[in-house]
Amino acid sequence: MGMNSKSKKMMMLLMAAIMVFSLAACSGGKNNASKESANNKPANSAETSEPATPPSADEPGWKSDTSPITFDWYLNFAWFPNKWGVDPTSQYVTKKTGVDINFIVPAGNENEKLNTLIASGKLPDFITLGWYEDGVKKMIEGGLVEPLNKLAEEYDPYFFKVSDPDKLGWYTQEDGNVYGYPNSSSSPKDYEKYGDTYVSNQTFVVRKDIYEAIGSPDMRTPEGFLNALKAAKEKFPEIDGQPIIPLGLHEFIQTGNDSLEGYLQNFLAIPREKDGKLYNRETDPEYVRWLKTLRQANQDGLLAKDIFIDKRPQMEEKIAQGRYFAMLYQRTDFAAQLGTLFQQDPNKIYIAVDGPANTNLDAPQLNGPSISGWTVTLISKDVKDKARAIKFLSYLMSEEGQKDLYLGEKGVSYDTIDGKDQFKPEAFELMNKDRAAFDKEYGSSFTFWMMQNTNITEQWAPKSVEPYKQLEDWTRGKTKSVSEFDLLDPLANSEEGIILSKIKELRSKTLPKLLMASSETDFDKIWGEYIKKQEDLGLAKVQAFQQTKYEENKKKLGM
């Protein structure tokens, strides 16, 4: 045996021992020597090299290396206010895993910031954005992100233990790889398991005291709806010296208005498909009937000018003042204001009631959680440490990581009380009273929601309290899985994508015109032109594209 290979052998043993003692024996390391082989091997052993031990699929990979590392994590949400490391929960996770996070959040327009990053070809280590954002496809097609399945195979097979095969299947691209994993996602199997606990964000709410003062009317029919708005305005023309706003809607944006599209269509239980063909919901007579009802409301002076121009911050201010009588609105978007109102006077809060309905008065069919989730998280090609990145992602997805980010550190934000792990009463109280203060003081309950999985954390979730509970409970049993209708839209720069954005722009300009039309005849004229213009723009091409995607989705979901 030449001196060369012998010194190489000694060198390896020495390295192995050093690795073991420095506890850096990363289970995914290429020439990893386990403690035993380093200690029990005679120095004159004839073997010259040690086969690499593949990383274990049963053991969390993150435990093999907890040395300090800082990842840059881009969140495509300008409103995200929190920093990692300020609160005890994120400090606890860093102490445990060695991972520190530097969040990068756009100051203004999210898409401008994201497009600049993509154009630069250099991305932060982690990227989290809505699954519906164009940027997801751009990053994948531009080869800017790592396939998670490949990273997992090489460095952390434990990832496959903590991920849901259905969700991986859903997000598998044509090349067979998965580049992003969703949060807040529920597969059809999850529906079988937890479906009766699911709630929707979509609500129709009224201000409790005003609603009761006008006799708690039924607002499901156009007549009942208009009469209630009229009665509220007559009885309460002003709220604390400011004019009442009879009806609140989501803001009008460049692509349309959520309240006047999906929300209203779901309340009217308008189908999304008929006999396997996607259905153009806005052409449904029930929908047109209710848009005409809103036109009538405007003619009767029951739609305030504010609703056509206000953005979310102005609306939040007006909700906190209790100036709206009724709202077709996402309940989680005004939770903070609802908490404030409740502290001031539990009678002046907003409660969910049965809103606009179709002619048969069928129950609404609201969006429940879908397999696409809310956001997807990707790991960039420029990531500073592939192994640590995928291992940290697996940790966040695992039950242990979910518990850490949801309940926080034991003794700080939660404890075992009456034999159950749950939030300490003072933490829960602050969470309901002042969420922003809670985030800084505790940082648990998914202050950091990038990988939140509510199906896992349901076991520790406190029972909802008022005023939020009533709104949630109203949606129970009305939620439906809409997974197969997700991810239908073409890429923005494709031919169909360009047509679709023109149609959406047209819709956003047309909706206010329809509501402000001076007569029903005028409405019909605007509506007719709108439908024709969509056809001229190439609506049929977009529909054909979406139909193909819809059929692919059904296959993926085994429907």
Side-chain angles (χ1 to χ4, degrees):
M1 192 188 243
M3 182 57 199
N4 222 350
S5 68
K6 188 139 191 170
S7 54
K8 199 161 120 204
K9 178 93 194 67
M10 287 304 296
M11 198 67 204
M12 276 194 66
L13 276 171
L14 198 65
M15 276 175 67
I18 290 168
M19 276 173 78
V20 167
F21 294 124
S22 68
L23 284 179
C26 153
S27 66
K30 279 285 169 270
N31 50 5
N32 173 17
S34 72
K35 198 170 191 159
E36 265 156 273
S37 57
N39 295 346
N40 305 342
K41 192 181 243 164
N44 62 353
S45 151
E47 261 179 67
T48 53
S49 78
E50 181 69 31
T53 317
S56 159
D58 297 316
E59 190 54 35
W62 67 268
K63 293 184 171 173
S64 61
D65 183 357
T66 56
S67 58
I69 186 169
T70 302
F71 284 119
D72 292 324
W73 195 313
Y74 175 77
L75 295 174
N76 200 40
F77 297 91
W79 53 260
F80 183 78
N82 299 299
K83 302 236 180 299
W84 187 268
V86 171
D87 61 279
T89 299
S90 56
Q91 290 164 2
Y92 168 63
V93 170
T94 296
K95 192 173 72 195
K96 180 171 177 171
T97 62
V99 176
D100 200 348
I101 294 173
N102 167 42
F103 284 120
I104 300 168
V105 177
N109 182 315
E110 286 104 347
N111 286 337
E112 275 170 28
K113 171 78 175 170
L114 186 63
N115 285 333
T116 307
L117 280 173
I118 292 172
S120 79
K122 190 139 178 56
L123 296 173
D125 303 300
F126 288 90
I127 305 101
T128 295
L129 70 169
W131 62 260
Y132 41 85
E133 300 281 355
D134 223 43
V136 180
K137 285 183 182 159
K138 280 189 190 153
M139 288 186 285
I140 294 171
E141 289 176 4
L144 299 174
V145 284
E146 291 280 352
L148 300 180
N149 49 305
K150 294 260 166 72
L151 290 180
E153 280 160 18
E154 189 165 350
Y155 305 106
D156 188 27
Y158 185 68
F159 172 86
F160 295 110
K161 224 188 167 80
V162 296
S163 54
D164 180 330
D166 288 347
K167 291 166 196 176
L168 292 178
W170 179 249
Y171 277 110
T172 295
Q173 303 297 311
E174 275 154 28
D175 63 4
N177 292 322
V178 182
Y179 296 88
Y181 198 82
N183 76 351
S184 303
S185 157
S186 291
S187 65
K189 279 202 187 76
D190 289 331
Y191 263 82
E192 288 165 24
K193 208 163 160 189
Y194 313 100
D196 52 350
T197 67
Y198 286 159
V199 291
S200 173
N201 266 336
Q202 303 180 333
T203 47
F204 177 70
V205 300
V206 290
R207 199 175 118 170
K208 184 174 186 286
D209 55 339
I210 299 179
Y211 183 67
E212 286 168 0
I214 61 170
S216 308
D218 181 346
M219 296 179 72
R220 292 178 300 168
T221 64
E223 307 72 51
F225 184 84
L226 290 170
N227 288 337
L229 296 187
K230 199 171 272 151
K233 190 181 173 182
E234 278 167 12
K235 208 163 180 149
F236 301 90
E238 294 198 333
I239 308 284
D240 296 330
Q242 308 240 52
I244 190 172
I245 305 169
L247 179 67
L249 304 168
H250 277 266
E251 64 181 277
F252 284 87
I253 54 173
Q254 284 162 324
T255 52
N257 183 302
D258 284 345
S259 301
L260 296 177
E261 294 173 64
Y263 275 49
L264 184 52
Q265 290 157 7
N266 288 351
F267 267 79
L268 303 179
I270 295 173
R272 290 166 185 270
E273 58 87 36
K274 290 186 173 183
D275 304 319
K277 287 271 172 276
L278 287 174
Y279 178 54
N280 186 358
R281 300 172 91 197
E282 69 176 356
T283 59
D284 195 279
E286 297 282 356
Y287 177 64
V288 177
R289 172 178 176 238
W290 271 93
L291 284 184
K292 286 183 169 179
T293 304
L294 292 172
R295 187 214 68 78
Q296 186 64 51
N298 188 58
Q299 188 181 317
D300 297 344
L302 301 172
L303 296 187
K305 291 280 172 280
D306 316 44
I307 69 175
F308 294 102
I309 49 180
D310 284 348
K311 298 274 167 238
R312 182 163 158 183
Q314 285 85 32
M315 297 176 65
E316 287 179 355
E317 198 179 315
K318 290 170 184 178
I319 294 171
Q321 296 164 347
R323 281 184 62 194
Y324 297 96
F325 161 57
M327 297 188 286
L328 188 56
Y329 207 68
Q330 173 156 305
R331 64 181 172 81
T332 49
D333 277 11
F334 68 95
Q337 292 74 39
L338 188 61
T340 308
L341 290 168
F342 188 65
Q343 299 295 323
Q344 292 162 356
D345 182 347
N347 259 321
K348 290 184 176 172
I349 56 165
Y350 288 95
I351 56 168
V353 295
D354 292 337
N358 63 29
T359 319
N360 297 333
L361 301 180
D362 294 320
Q365 297 189 348
L366 309 175
N367 290 10
S370 83
I371 194 163
S372 297
W374 165 32
T375 67
V376 285
T377 293
L378 307 95
I379 295 177
S380 100
K381 277 271 194 274
D382 301 305
V383 66
K384 52 177 74 85
D385 186 328
K386 292 180 187 181
R388 291 293 293 278
I390 189 71
K391 289 170 183 182
F392 187 60
L393 196 67
S394 299
Y395 156 75
L396 292 175
M397 288 157 58
S398 70
E399 184 156 327
E400 180 179 7
Q402 291 291 316
K403 187 173 186 178
D404 290 346
L405 283 177
Y406 184 70
L407 285 177
E409 185 174 10
K410 187 161 190 175
V412 181
S413 52
Y414 90 97
D415 243 322
T416 309
I417 307 168
D418 304 328
K420 180 179 165 24
D421 287 347
Q422 53 181 300
F423 289 111
K424 294 170 87 163
E426 61 271 28
F428 187 52
E429 194 185 333
L430 184 62
M431 189 196 305
N432 287 309
K433 202 165 85 186
D434 187 342
R435 181 69 210 211
F438 171 89
D439 287 345
K440 289 183 177 51
E441 195 169 320
Y442 293 103
S444 50
S445 184
F446 287 132
T447 294
F448 306 101
W449 38 255
M450 301 89 72
M451 300 313 295
Q452 72 179 9
N453 181 342
T454 43
N455 292 323
I456 292 180
T457 56
E458 183 61 34
Q459 56 185 311
W460 307 295
K463 293 282 163 269
S464 270
V465 294
E466 296 305 356
Y468 318 100
K469 181 181 182 322
Q470 189 273 339
L471 273 65
E472 282 178 25
D473 286 349
W474 182 85
T475 69
R476 279 180 216 279
K478 299 182 177 82
T479 61
K480 280 189 69 117
S481 169
V482 290
S483 292
E484 65 272 31
F485 304 103
D486 282 349
L487 296 172
L488 295 180
D489 288 353
L491 199 56
N493 58 7
S494 66
E495 188 195 355
E496 295 88 354
I498 292 164
I499 297 170
L500 183 60
S501 56
K502 284 180 181 163
I503 287 174
K504 284 181 175 174
E505 209 172 303
L506 174 68
R507 182 173 299 143
S508 104
K509 289 195 171 87
T510 307
L511 284 168
K513 285 181 190 161
L514 290 165
L515 267 44
M516 291 173 177
S518 56
S519 64
E520 191 159 332
T521 316
D522 191 24
F523 178 104
D524 288 337
K525 183 171 162 285
I526 297 167
W527 184 257
E529 283 166 7
Y530 166 63
I531 295 297
K532 182 172 186 330
K533 188 137 196 228
Q534 285 194 62
E535 283 164 14
D536 296 345
L537 283 169
L539 176 66
K541 271 196 169 143
V542 176
Q543 288 173 324
F545 180 94
Q546 292 176 327
Q547 181 65 28
T548 304
K549 288 305 246 186
Y550 167 61
E551 286 163 18
E552 284 169 16
N553 283 353
K554 288 208 293 189
K555 248 194 216 93
K556 271 187 174 179
L557 293 167
M559 292 173 80

